[in-house]
Structures are given as C-alpha cells and as structure tokens.
Amino acid sequence: MTSVQVAETVKELQLYLEKARISNLTIGFVPTMGFLHEGHASLINTSTKQRDVTVVSIYVNPLQFDPDEDFDKYPKDISSDLDLCNEHGVDIVFMPSEEEMKPFLSEESLKLRGIVKIFEGESRPVHFQGVATVVKALFEIVGSSYAFFGEKDFQQLVLVKQLVDDYLLPVQVIGCPIIRENDGLAKSSRNVYLDSAEREQSAVIYQSLKAGAEAISKGETSIKNIEQLIKKTVETSPLANIDYVAVVDPLTFEIPNSIKNEVRLLVACNFGQARLIDNILAQREVVSS
Ligand code: AMP
C-alpha cells in the first residue's frame, strides 16, 4: 500500500507547499518523466537528506519529443513509481495531465543560449526548447525550491542552470552523479528498449568514456585523439551506431583547443530502438611538486 500524497492539479500542489512554507520548511524538487529507477531514487535521496519536503513531478513532456521519437511508447508504470516515491520518503508527487499544464506553458519560444543547438540539440531539434518550456513552467508552479537534476543528462543540466539565470527563476539547481548498472551502463528508463544482445554490448559506452578519461589523466591533451579513442572503443560493438562523440568544457559546453584541465566527454549512441547518452568528467592528473 502506498501512502505518498498525490496532487493532480496545480492548486492541490500549491496548497500543500504553501502550508510547508508557512512552517518554514525548505522544498526539494525532483522533476521526472516517470518509470522511475535507482537514478531517480538517488536524486530523491539527495533531496530528502538536504531538504524538509520533497516533491517529485511525473510528467511525460510531449514538447521535448521530436515527431519521430518515442513519445507514444515511452514506458510507464505509475503504481511502481508511487511505491518507489513512498519507499524513498517523497512527500508529494505532482502528476498533472497535459490539460492541467497547458495554461502554464509559455506560448512563445523561450530565448535560450547556443547550447540548445549543439549535440543533443542538433540531433533532436525541438528537444531543448520543449524541456525548457516545461521545466520553466514546473519551476514557476513549485516556486522557491532546490531542484535536483542528474548529470546523466549533462547538457540538460547546464541548460536548466542557464534557464534559471536568464529568467531569474527562484530555484537553485543541484547536479547529482550518474547511477550505473553493474557493467557501467547508465540507468535509464529507455534501457527497456534494449534486447539482450544490445543490452550486453551497451556496456561499451561507459568503457569508451573510461578509456578517454584514463588517457586524459595520463597526459593526453589532443581532443581529436580522445574522440578517436572513444569512437574506436564504441565501434568494437557491432550493434552500436554512434550519433556523436565530443569533448567539451563542462561549464560553457565549448570545445576547447586542447585539454588543459577539466573536460566532459560525451557520447550519444543508438542500439536498435534505444538512443543512449552518457558522459564522464575527465581531468589531467595534477602532479604535485
Ligand atoms: P527523466 O525521467 O529521464 O526525465 O529523468 C529525470 C531526472 O533523473 C533527470 O534529471 C535525469 O538526469 C535524472 N536521471 C536519469 N537517469 C539517471 C541516472 N542514471 N543517474 C542519475 N540521474 C539520472
């Protein structure tokens, strides 16, 4: 039996949060698209540890799917999601319908920075405008809060931080580490699309990122060499179909001329029906004198 409170309307959620604020409680917010797994649970755990009240939203945002993507078949299991929320001490789950969200969505395109056009933004042209529109609406609905996002979607995390800065939203965004399967595959709701051969070979993504990070820690400074190393490692899997491999500055998302200190290594790759993304922080080893 699940006892976590569920709000299907903005009014119900805001009434709950108003009471919390009157009691001086701080609010943690974890936006999700449901089909929750241990990656989501780790964001929830961070929120419940750091904040008094934790809100989880479950909303499969139609605006962030391109027309040829998996919106219609995006996996769902509300009862298991509510159980997970209950087990992890969530106070309230916000599950609005599309109609409920509509009045809160900006009708005009938001002004977003150049990050929306590259990598994920280039492969999925409407994606980040859709993410930003719904995240902004959710932040305005929830109000002053601390929002927990996974580094799994690293470009999204940077975009959301920029959105908060540019639109002066009353939210502090906190990035949380990537949770992985035993073989290193980043947990994702979309992993259910993998058949057993694809699932087995998909571990190559993390192996390629680790190989890149290790080469950087040992002194490799060439972006090209790192990209090639990552590509070559992924290509050892016959089922992998690389979309992009990139080395970027973790704050600006610009591609540096060479690797001087910290960079993020990014991979996007298709395995059959599943589009998988992953990333890792890589650093030159600091040699102390
Ligand atoms: P989603 O439901 O896929 O939209 O994800 C909701 C939030 O969970 C986003 O902030 C994701 O980055 C985060 N998330 C998804 N998978 C993981 C993971 N394996 N580790 C950490 N965070 C994750």
Side-chain angles (χ1 to χ4, degrees), residues 42-53:
S42 80
L43 307 187
I44 294 171
N45 290 343
T46 311
S47 174
T48 58
K49 262 187 221 131
Q50 293 186 6
R51 299 297 144 201
D52 302 312
V53 167

Side-chain angles (χ1 to χ4, degrees), residues 5-286:
Q5 192 158 337
V6 174
E8 289 184 354
T9 65
V10 171
K11 214 168 176 183
E12 282 171 89
L13 176 70
Q14 287 183 333
L15 216 63
Y16 184 95
L17 295 178
E18 210 172 292
K19 283 189 195 145
R21 287 192 177 101
I22 289 170
S23 308
N24 274 330
L25 301 178
T26 60
I27 291 157
F29 177 36
V30 181
T32 81
M33 297 209 299
F35 208 63
L36 304 180
H37 51 68
E38 286 169 51
H40 300 108
S42 80
L43 307 187
I44 294 171
N45 290 343
T46 311
S47 174
T48 58
K49 262 187 221 131
Q50 293 186 6
R51 299 297 144 201
D52 302 312
V53 167
T54 291
V55 185
V56 170
S57 65
I58 298 179
Y59 182 66
V60 184
N61 167 20
L63 300 179
Q64 73 180 65
F65 290 77
D66 277 82
D68 59 342
E69 289 187 339
D70 55 343
F71 174 66
D72 290 333
K73 64 177 173 98
Y74 195 80
K76 281 188 186 62
D77 189 342
I78 292 299
S79 134
S80 140
D81 287 353
L82 292 179
D83 284 346
L84 184 144
C85 288
N86 203 30
E87 279 158 25
H88 289 269
V90 172
D91 296 282
I92 186 159
V93 177
F94 179 48
M95 285 198 317
S97 63
E98 277 183 51
E99 258 106 79
E100 184 67 17
M101 284 300 287
K102 210 169 177 191
F104 297 90
L105 303 175
S106 158
E107 282 178 10
E108 285 166 24
S109 289
L110 299 177
K111 272 201 173 152
L112 304 169
R113 300 190 210 174
I115 193 172
V116 298
K117 296 203 183 79
I118 53 177
F119 308 123
E120 283 307 281
E122 191 177 353
S123 299
R124 310 177 67 192
V126 308
H127 179 64
F128 283 134
Q129 187 60 238
V131 168
T133 302
V134 166
V135 168
K136 180 168 178 283
L138 288 170
F139 282 179
E140 284 164 350
I141 290 167
V142 171
S144 169
S145 57
Y146 297 78
F148 298 87
F149 281 78
E151 290 181 346
K152 156 80 171 46
D153 301 282
F154 195 74
Q155 194 174 351
Q156 169 178 275
L157 171 63
V158 174
L159 168 97
V160 170
K161 284 183 176 167
Q162 292 180 354
L163 179 75
V164 163
D165 286 348
D166 294 350
Y167 284 90
L168 304 173
L169 303 172
V171 176
Q172 194 167 317
V173 178
I174 296 118
C176 303
I178 302 172
I179 305 301
R180 302 180 177 281
E181 303 287 354
N182 288 338
D183 64 358
L185 176 67
K187 289 193 182 254
S188 164
S189 308
R190 288 192 167 102
N191 291 351
V192 290
Y193 298 152
L194 298 166
D195 68 23
S196 63
E198 289 158 357
R199 172 63 194 85
E200 203 175 302
Q201 291 186 27
S202 60
V204 81
I205 300 176
Y206 184 53
Q207 286 159 14
S208 74
L209 289 169
K210 271 207 314 199
E214 200 181 320
I216 291 171
S217 80
K218 286 186 177 154
E220 178 60 68
T221 57
S222 155
I223 305 279
K224 220 174 171 187
N225 290 351
I226 293 298
E227 285 178 355
Q228 262 166 15
L229 173 64
I230 293 174
K231 275 186 188 148
K232 257 171 70 187
T233 312
V234 175
E235 281 162 359
T236 59
S237 156
L239 298 174
N241 203 343
I242 296 175
D243 180 358
Y244 62 81
V245 166
V247 179
V248 297
D249 180 294
L251 297 177
T252 62
F253 251 75
E254 278 162 18
I255 300 170
N257 293 328
S258 68
I259 300 164
K260 292 195 185 73
N261 30 48
E262 265 190 23
V263 285
R264 276 270 160 182
L265 312 182
L266 315 175
V267 173
C269 192
N270 289 296
F271 278 86
Q273 302 289 305
R275 184 167 188 285
L276 306 178
I277 58 170
D278 200 352
N279 68 86
I280 198 170
L281 179 72
Q283 280 172 302
R284 300 280 310 277
E285 211 163 71
V286 181

